[in-house]
Every structure is written in C-alpha cells, then in structure tokens.
Amino acid sequence: SAWFALFHQRYSTNTAPAWERAQPFRMLAHNGEINTIRGNLAAMKARVAAEDSDDLAPPVDARSSDSGILDGALEMLVRGGRTVEHAAAMLVPPAWENDPSLGRDERGFFRFHSALMEPWDGPAGLVFSDGTTVGAALDRNGLRPLRVALCEDGFVACASEAGAIDTSGHGAVTRTRLGPGQALVVDPEHGIRLDAHVKRSLARSGEYAAAAEGALQPAGRGAPVGIPAHRVLPLQVASGMTKEEVTVVLRPMATGSGEPVSSMGDDTAQPPLARFRRPVFSYLKQRFAQVTNPPLDHLRESHVMSQVTLLGPRPALDATAIPPGSLREYRSPLVSPEAVAELVAEGAAVVDATWDASEGAAGLRRACERAARTACHAVREGATVVVVTDAGMGPERVAVPSALVAGAVHHALAAAGLRPRAGLVVDAADVRESHHVACLVTNGADLVCPRLALETIADLADHARLGGDVSSGAAQELFLDALEAGLYKVMSKMGISTVASYRGAQVVEAIGLGPDVIELCFPGVASVLGGSSLDDLGEDALARHEAAWSEKPALAMPGAFKHKSGGEYHALNPAVIEGLQSAVTTEMEAAHALRRAVAGNPRAYEDFAELVNGRPPSEPRDLLGFAPATPVPLDEVEDAASIARRFSAGAMSLGALSPEAHETIALALDMIGGMANTGEGGEDPARYGDSGRSSAIKQVASARFGVTPAYLADAREVQIKMAQGSKPGEGGQLPGVKVSTEIARLRHTVPGVPLISPPPHHDIYSIEDLAQLIFDLKQANPEADVSVKLVSSEGVGTVAAGVVKGLADGVH
C-alpha cells in the first residue's frame, strides 16, 4: 500500500519520470476480486532517486501466500525484462541436475540461473501470461496433472483433467500432457511451442553454458581429518556430546550402518522440562507437509533430489553474466575442516563464535550480537564468504551454540540487505546429527562443518574403539554420507527436493524457546509457548564449559535414547510397563482381562495410574491445572457408559502390535461401546463381521497398506491418515525383521521387506485430491463416516478448514 500511494501521488502531480509514466500501474480483475500485480520494484529502485528507494521495497509481500509470492516474483522478473517463459523457468526449473537427456546448452541455462534464483519447490501446475504470451508448466516432480488438447485451428486447451474443455468444432485434436518440469508456450508470433522447443529457445537466448562453466567452480568437501593434536574430551563435554551419542549415533553412522532408527519416537521430556541440559537443536522441531503437498520418497525419487550448494556472492536477478570463478559449487552443504581452511586462506572473513567465561550467562547475547555486527562489517568491506566458527573455545572461552549464532548472523545480514553478497559457513563443535545440519541449513547456513564429530571419529578409529573394519578416513566419509542421507530424509518430509529451496526456509518450529531467543536468532520461527531465554541458554553453555575444564571431565550418560536408572525420564519406563502388566495380568481370557483386573485388583491399577499421572512434568499438558470453579452437579453429568461410547483407541497398526494385542484392544473397546482403530496396517479378514473382534475404525494411510473393498465395507468409520505417524512427516517405519509371513499377508507384500509410509505410494497432493479420496471412500461404504487425521502444528487450522470443505465428517 505504501508504494501504491507513491505511484498515485506521482501520477496525480505528474512528477514521475518519463520511463515510469510509460509503465502505468496495472490491476487485474479475476473472479470478482481485484488482485494487485506487483511491478518490477527492484528495477525501479535502480532508477528512482535515492530518497525514494525505501518506499519501493520490498518487491514481494512476504505476508502473502506461497502462490501470491510466486506471482509477485514472476511479475517482478517480467517487468525487469525477462520473457514470461524465461521467468517461469527461473522460478520453477525442472530437475536438470540429474537429467542425462539435457544437452550442454539447456543444462547450462538452468545451471546459470541456479546462481540467481533458488527454485520454488513443491507440487504446482502453473498457468501464466504476460498479456500476450500464455504458458503452462509443471514442477520438477510432476505431481500435478496438466492435460493438453492441441486443435487443428490453433485452439489450445489446458486443464488438470482431459475433457474439461469442449474442443468440438475446432478440427482434429492432438491430446498430450505435460510431464515433470515440462512447459508449453503459446504466443501470436511463434505459435505453439512444446517443451523441447521452449528449452532450446531459452538456452540459445544467451551464452549461459559458457558463463556457468566459467563462474561456477566445482569444489570438494575436503580431505578427512587426522587424529587431533588436542584432547577431544573437554571439547566433547563443552559441546554437550554424550557417551550415548558416541555409541548410538556416531559409531553406526561412521561404520556404514547409516542414521540409526528407533522404534517408537522420543518419549523423554521436552528440553525446558528435562532433567539434563539439552542442546539448542533439541528445541527446534522439523515441520512437515500434510495435504497441501506430499512427502517425497528420497530413495525412489532420487533423480529429482539435489543438495548442490553454491557459495559466494550472488548476481542480481537481471544478470546476464557472472564474474568467472566467483561461486564455488559443492555437492552438498557438508564439508570437512580442510575445506574451511582453504576458504579462510583465500580471504574468507572469520567470525568468532565464543565469549569470555567471565562475562557470565549474559555473554551469550553479547556474543551473538557481536558476531552479527562483525559479519555485516566484513561483508560491507568486501568479504564474499563468512566463516562462523567456535574453534576458539577453550578454558577461558565458551562456545556459542551454533544454531543461535548462525541464525543471528544470517538474519542480521538479511536485514541489512547484505545476505546475497556472501556465503555463510558454520564450523561448529556441536553438530553431530542430521537434525543439527538440517536446523542450520533451514535457518540460513550455506555450508556446515561438523568439526568435532569428525575429530571424534578419527580419535575412535585410531584407538580401535570405533568398531568395524574401517579406516579413519573412510569412517569420516561414511559419516558425512550418512548426514547427507539424513538431510535428504528431513527435506523430503516437507516435500522439498532441493537443498537450495530448504536453505533459509525456516521449516522448523520451536518448543520451549523464549521471545528474546526468537527475535535475535530465529525471527519468523513459531514458538507459541515461549520458554528458555538467552540467559537460560547461556547458563546451560556455562555449565557444560565448567564441566569440560574441570579436573576430571567425563562424557555424560543421561539415558536419552534408552532408559537408564537415575537418567532422563522416559514416559514408557520399565516401572510403567511393569505396572501396566501387573494391572491387567489374570488367568482369565484376554477379552475380560482389563475388566477383571480393575474390578478384582483395583490397587494394582491404582499403582499403575499413579505412575502415569504422577510423572514429573514432561510435556506442556503436564503443566496444566484446573481453574477454581463450581463443580457441575453429578445429576447433570452423563453416566460413564454414555461417555465411554465416545471413546476410541489410538491408531496402532498390526505389526507395531502383535495380533493378540491388536485384537484384545478391539474387544476391550467393543465391551465399553467405543471404537478401536486398526491403524494403517490392515486387519485379518477373519475378524470382519464380528463386532467384538473387528476394529470399528478402519484407517487408510497414503500407502494404503491392507486396504481392500471388504476392509472398507466392514468399517463404521474410515479414517484417512495424513503424512504422519510414529515419525511425523514420514509415517510408520516397520523394520524388515518384523514383517512376518502374517504381516506380509495382511499388507499384501513380501516377508522380510521393510515398510514405510506414506512413501512410496503418494496419492494426496492437494485438498482436491483429499476431497476425491473422501468421495471414493464414501462410495465404497456409504454408511461409514469419513474422518481425517492431521498433526496439530502451526498452520493446521488452514489445512483443517480445507478438509472440512472436502466434506470430511470429522477432523482428528
């Protein structure tokens, strides 16, 4: 609205320059609404007087939707001189990185523009126009259908479904479709241009291949680290590394086993409520897609995935040339200390990420602010690479958690308009898991060096404590490969194919971080509940620092991964499990076990309930209490039997549970009039028709395990499970050893084959797809309600509204 007012003032007083008056402000009427089409404000800023420049920014409205921002970016590029098909190809390129069919010129075009613009990543069927030329394109995954009818008289119809537009009377019709990353352009001058012609025309419009080859310098991630000359133990303690992490995380990754997979997620307390201090990374939770764009299968769809990372100053969006050798091209964001040393030797600015221990906890904030100021000053002075490092940590210097300092530097550079001028490298001692790498990249880091983790692996290997027949150098390569694979896995949960799109996207939300932390280090990240302040995190860092340089430093063993007596609290600890077993154990048949246990031995159940209800606060809900109020008279409250009829069991699949446990839950819920939920694993057809043994709620996951017409017909409610499960965004993961002959029969698969959902069988790409599935399920069983299970996270209300519009009977 500010720059609209500026335009209005200039036109009304005729004070606008001639070039500006020649490009009047445009409005577009569409579907009864007036949508502002944003002008090329970046080009305008270069032409207007300096005192007016601030009135013309920003070029796109960050408060708009994804589609609105994409529309604004396209308009900006077209106003800046690009053709509309050129602008669309810059914004939504195909998966050119791994496409052997592309020639040198076409590949060069996309490689050149990858230095100018990160790809808009996600399922999209686009139709675009500059007022004369009309085009259509699909995203790199091709997850949206676009059907095309080319008529003899020149009439062209494009829609998501074939036959949506009547083509009768237009002569012979050729029908085709757009594939992944393909485009179609129609204009009065050149007629109809299909994908190959469009790409050839774009590639030949400039010397892009030669420019890209000259500007983008391939770079390696560096040689392995030798055994460190210094003692690693104090640094490990100071960075929060635990004995468990060395055993459970580092060793498997360094010996070729890949990232470790746990059974049922994390049942420990959230970081602010934990008994032991957690790293800042633990406060950040990866977000994931549900309904509006699907998770990807990064293994089977590897051809569309890319972690290629460019480091250095980025050219302007309207650039037609890039200075030779100005950008380094890495295969992934992960590098070794040798690569960082090379950058420093070539002139990278080094930003210290430590503070003097004498400053106390308050030194953390000052260190973050100092690092941000130093980085901004260095870039203004001409630095094209900034290396943020905690290598200066020692007895007198406390390391700043890398997530905090990297976020503070990235956002300070962005706020000052300096971020495109330089690459950001994070050299840190506290990075050792793929989640840590993902947090740094999504909050702005270009490259990440897990320095201490690599030194730890070298130390373990050289002292024969790594396990497995692998050398130090090979172990470090395997570790970095495992981190890359883990980063792919995290990106794919959000349906993001390229690390360039994931970088800076802030695809995390915080649980337990206070507003001062968010404001300085993670602006834009949601932290609804608030929590630990910078001073609190400073105290944590100081405590680790003091333990590290004490007389006898030792790695902690908090029992975060596996229960340990006196360690971190686990909701499913042995006492709880034993209490549950004691409460329900009886010689009676399974169908009556819980009823008889409660009625005949109430003390055992009370003991179990006390273990669960009297646990130390672990989750936000544990901090809730009842406000003083007048009790409702009991005669106004429904009886227990009526209330119990609304109960439903959590969705637990056959496979995660034994067949006996799965059936017992169904019997128990039927006894009280409630409904059991099959989970996504199907159900034995022998149980169909038996109201006691059959689960009333039949779940349909995106992978459709075990779903048949008979399965659906036996349901009182069909529940669609969207993109979540024991591992949110990824669904349940069943190791091959658990896929028995019986499980394989029910899931229509082969024994011993690992199963994971929702990939690889996507079928929900949008609200429209979900609405179609709801409709189909209601045709399969008109008597059953259809509910949709979503994960409660930031923005879920918007998704839930779409689910209701899709005619779901309930949202879980």
Side-chain angles (χ1 to χ4, degrees):
S1 59
W3 55 264
F4 176 77
L6 176 64
F7 269 81
H8 179 76
Q9 178 186 11
R10 289 187 175 185
Y11 290 130
S12 63
T13 58
N14 201 31
T15 58
W19 67 267
E20 195 175 279
R21 293 199 303 273
Q23 304 181 70
F25 182 79
R26 289 194 296 157
M27 305 292 281
L28 177 69
H30 180 65
N31 290 340
E33 296 179 353
I34 302 298
N35 296 324
T36 302
I37 303 301
R38 302 169 180 86
N40 181 0
L41 304 183
M44 292 178 186
K45 285 183 67 173
R47 296 178 173 91
V48 299
E51 62 269 19
D52 293 330
S53 62
D54 289 341
D55 294 326
L56 295 176
V60 294
D61 185 356
R63 299 167 299 176
S64 184
S65 65
D66 285 349
S67 300
I69 291 173
L70 180 65
D71 177 61
L74 181 76
E75 182 78 7
M76 181 181 68
L77 291 171
V78 172
R79 293 288 190 106
R82 307 286 192 190
T83 63
V84 69
E85 60 266 37
H86 190 149
M90 285 178 64
L91 291 166
V92 191
W96 60 272
E97 299 91 340
N98 304 311
D99 187 352
S101 68
L102 287 178
R104 174 179 177 270
D105 290 343
E106 288 86 347
R107 182 179 300 278
F109 173 86
F110 292 111
R111 190 174 177 222
F112 175 90
H113 287 93
S114 69
L116 276 59
M117 172 67 70
E118 64 202 28
W120 190 88
D121 201 357
L126 304 173
V127 177
F128 50 84
S129 176
D130 61 1
T132 303
T133 300
V134 180
L138 273 189
D139 65 278
R140 64 192 287 128
N141 293 283
L143 298 177
R144 292 270 193 269
L146 268 184
R147 309 288 182 175
V148 179
L150 307 174
C151 300
E152 186 178 13
D153 65 354
F155 181 75
V156 178
C158 183
S160 57
E161 286 84 28
I165 299 171
D166 185 12
T167 57
S168 59
H170 293 280
V173 179
T174 300
R175 302 190 187 279
T176 184
R177 68 179 181 86
L178 294 185
Q182 292 186 345
L184 165 74
V185 171
V186 182
D187 67 71
E189 184 177 351
H190 299 98
I192 300 170
R193 287 181 286 152
L194 299 179
D195 182 67
H197 187 188
V198 172
K199 287 182 170 57
R200 281 197 303 270
S201 299
L202 291 173
R204 293 171 182 172
S205 63
E207 298 294 327
Y208 297 114
E213 290 165 4
L216 276 59
Q217 173 186 345
R221 63 186 183 191
V225 176
I227 183 170
H230 55 267
R231 291 180 65 208
V232 295
L233 182 57
L235 301 181
Q236 291 169 336
V237 176
S239 66
M241 188 179 294
T242 67
K243 188 179 297 185
E244 260 190 318
E245 287 177 316
V246 172
T247 303
V248 179
V249 178
L250 292 184
R251 281 180 177 168
M253 294 173 75
T255 52
S257 299
E259 192 178 31
V261 176
S262 299
S263 294
M264 292 299 289
D266 185 1
D267 66 341
T268 60
Q270 294 296 333
L273 303 174
R275 292 178 179 175
F276 294 82
R277 292 180 172 86
R278 299 284 188 89
V280 173
F281 295 117
S282 300
Y283 292 81
L284 300 174
K285 312 296 181 182
Q286 298 289 341
R287 298 184 62 193
F288 51 90
Q290 51 181 348
V291 183
T292 50
N293 57 305
L296 300 172
D297 181 346
H298 64 286
L299 298 176
R300 294 169 182 82
E301 298 175 84
S302 59
H303 59 286
V304 301
M305 307 292 288
S306 173
Q307 288 189 18
V308 171
T309 295
L310 301 182
L311 185 74
R314 297 306 181 97
L317 287 180
D318 59 354
T320 56
I322 307 175
S326 60
L327 287 164
R328 291 176 176 84
E329 187 178 46
Y330 297 83
R331 85 176 198 191
S332 86
L334 287 154
V335 294
S336 77
E338 183 190 57
V340 177
E342 288 177 1
L343 292 170
V344 174
E346 294 175 15
V350 177
V351 175
D352 179 33
T354 67
W355 84 91
D356 193 302
S358 64
E359 294 184 59
L364 175 59
R365 169 182 281 278
R366 289 196 285 267
C368 289
E369 293 172 339
R370 184 168 56 247
R373 288 195 304 270
T374 303
C376 289
H377 175 75
V379 175
R380 289 192 181 99
E381 293 296 310
T384 59
V385 175
V386 173
V387 175
V388 178
T389 177
D390 60 10
M393 66 189 298
E396 307 300 328
R397 304 291 298 179
V398 187
V400 180
S402 60
L404 298 179
V405 68
V409 169
H410 167 73
H411 288 288
L413 289 171
L418 301 171
R419 185 64 181 87
R421 297 191 196 176
L424 177 59
V425 182
V426 179
D427 171 40
D430 60 352
V431 178
R432 46 192 174 267
E433 299 179 23
S434 57
H435 172 67
H436 302 169
V437 176
C439 285
L440 290 172
V441 172
T442 201
N443 279 300
D446 290 306
L447 296 182
V448 177
C449 174
R451 185 184 67 255
L452 183 59
L454 293 172
E455 292 179 346
T456 299
I457 291 169
D459 185 62
L460 291 171
D462 289 347
H463 289 90
R465 291 188 290 119
L466 188 59
D469 185 16
V470 59
S471 67
S472 173
Q476 292 176 45
E477 287 294 325
L478 288 170
F479 173 70
L480 293 175
D481 289 344
L483 286 179
E484 288 179 5
L487 180 57
Y488 270 135
K489 197 173 184 179
V490 172
M491 288 164 46
S492 67
K493 294 179 183 183
M494 199 65 184
I496 293 177
S497 308
T498 69
V499 80
S501 296
Y502 190 74
R503 180 173 290 109
Q506 294 187 300
V507 190
V508 289
E509 56 184 317
I511 296 183
L513 288 180
D516 60 334
V517 182
I518 299 299
E519 181 182 358
L520 179 61
C521 305
F522 308 117
V525 169
S527 184
V528 178
L529 299 178
S532 298
S533 66
L534 283 168
D535 284 349
D536 294 330
L537 299 178
E539 293 286 357
D540 288 350
L542 279 172
R544 288 191 292 265
H545 175 83
E546 291 171 4
W549 276 276
S550 63
E551 290 185 7
K552 294 183 178 180
L555 292 179
M557 186 67 174
F561 294 93
K562 296 181 180 180
H563 177 266
K564 177 180 178 292
S565 179
E568 197 65 80
Y569 178 81
H570 285 257
L572 299 175
N573 61 69
V576 169
I577 300 302
E578 290 167 8
L580 173 62
Q581 292 172 338
S582 174
V584 300
T585 297
T586 177
E587 294 181 1
M588 296 295 181
E589 64 273 20
H592 302 291
L594 183 60
R595 182 177 64 185
R596 294 298 179 89
V598 174
N601 187 8
R603 186 64 214 167
Y605 180 78
E606 290 169 7
D607 292 342
F608 162 68
E610 177 58 30
L611 285 170
V612 175
N613 298 327
R615 72 180 189 178
S618 300
E619 300 287 344
R621 62 176 176 269
D622 296 330
L623 303 176
L624 299 176
F626 288 101
T630 302
V632 177
L634 282 178
D635 59 4
E636 296 180 17
V637 179
E638 292 180 77
D639 61 88
S642 299
I643 295 173
R645 285 198 292 269
R646 299 193 183 93
F647 284 13
S648 64
M652 295 173 283
S653 63
L654 208 162
L657 299 181
S658 68
E660 295 83 2
H662 198 267
E663 187 169 330
T664 298
I665 291 172
L667 288 163
L669 267 293
D670 181 69
M671 284 164 49
I672 64 172
M675 295 194 293
N677 190 321
T678 59
E680 62 173 319
E683 192 169 75
D684 192 334
R687 292 164 59 182
Y688 297 168
D690 185 332
S691 62
R693 298 170 61 215
S694 176
S695 299
I697 303 173
K698 298 288 198 290
Q699 195 175 75
V700 177
S702 294
R704 303 281 179 92
F705 286 134
V707 178
T708 64
Y711 174 85
L712 297 175
D714 191 57
R716 286 164 51 196
E717 178 181 319
V718 179
Q719 183 179 88
I720 301 169
K721 169 185 172 183
M722 281 308 311
Q724 48 77 40
S726 60
K727 296 165 183 64
E730 180 183 313
Q733 185 167 342
L734 198 62
V737 295
K738 293 187 70 175
V739 183
S740 63
T741 302
E742 182 177 18
I743 299 302
R745 175 177 65 86
L746 298 179
R747 297 196 180 197
H748 307 289
T749 185
V750 179
V753 175
L755 301 176
I756 184 171
S757 69
H761 305 297
H762 312 309
D763 50 33
I764 303 297
Y765 303 137
S766 65
I767 290 291
E768 293 84 358
D769 291 336
L770 183 64
Q772 181 68 54
L773 179 56
I774 292 170
F775 176 84
D776 292 344
L777 293 175
K778 289 188 174 184
Q779 305 315 298
N781 186 343
E783 302 301 319
D785 286 342
V786 176
S787 65
V788 177
K789 182 180 180 184
L790 302 173
V791 175
S792 182
S793 62
E794 188 203 10
V796 72
T798 302
V799 178
V803 169
V804 174
K805 290 178 182 178
L807 301 184
D809 297 299
V811 181
H812 182 75

